[in-house]
Amino acid sequence: MRKALSLDDGDTVLLEIVGGEIHVRPLRDAVSRVQARLREYVSADVSLSAELIADRRAEAISE
């Protein structure tokens, strides 16, 4: 199973029960899926992490 999922020691996996079955997938795959979905709504030239950091800095200054 580890080879089929390309898992190394210490890799994080997600376990989910679907229809009475246990589904196992690497965390990196779940993150990739979410990133792909977000890219549909955010242009490729926009860095969400940079925007988040800028927002946090602005909040810290206003406190």
Side-chain angles (χ1 to χ4, degrees), residues 3-44:
K3 283 184 183 180
L5 294 174
S6 300
L7 293 172
D8 292 323
D9 286 340
D11 284 353
T12 302
V13 296
L14 299 176
L15 300 174
E16 182 179 18
I17 298 175
V18 178
E21 299 175 346
I22 296 176
H23 291 206
V24 180
R25 62 182 167 156
L27 178 62
R28 68 176 175 274
D29 290 356
V31 170
S32 293
R33 283 183 181 182
V34 170
Q35 288 172 332
R37 287 183 183 170
L38 286 175
R39 279 291 157 213
E40 294 176 19
Y41 304 101
V42 179
S43 131

Side-chain angles (χ1 to χ4, degrees), residues 50-60:
E51 287 188 12
L52 177 63
I53 291 169
D55 287 347
R56 295 296 181 258
R57 287 183 178 150
E59 288 176 12

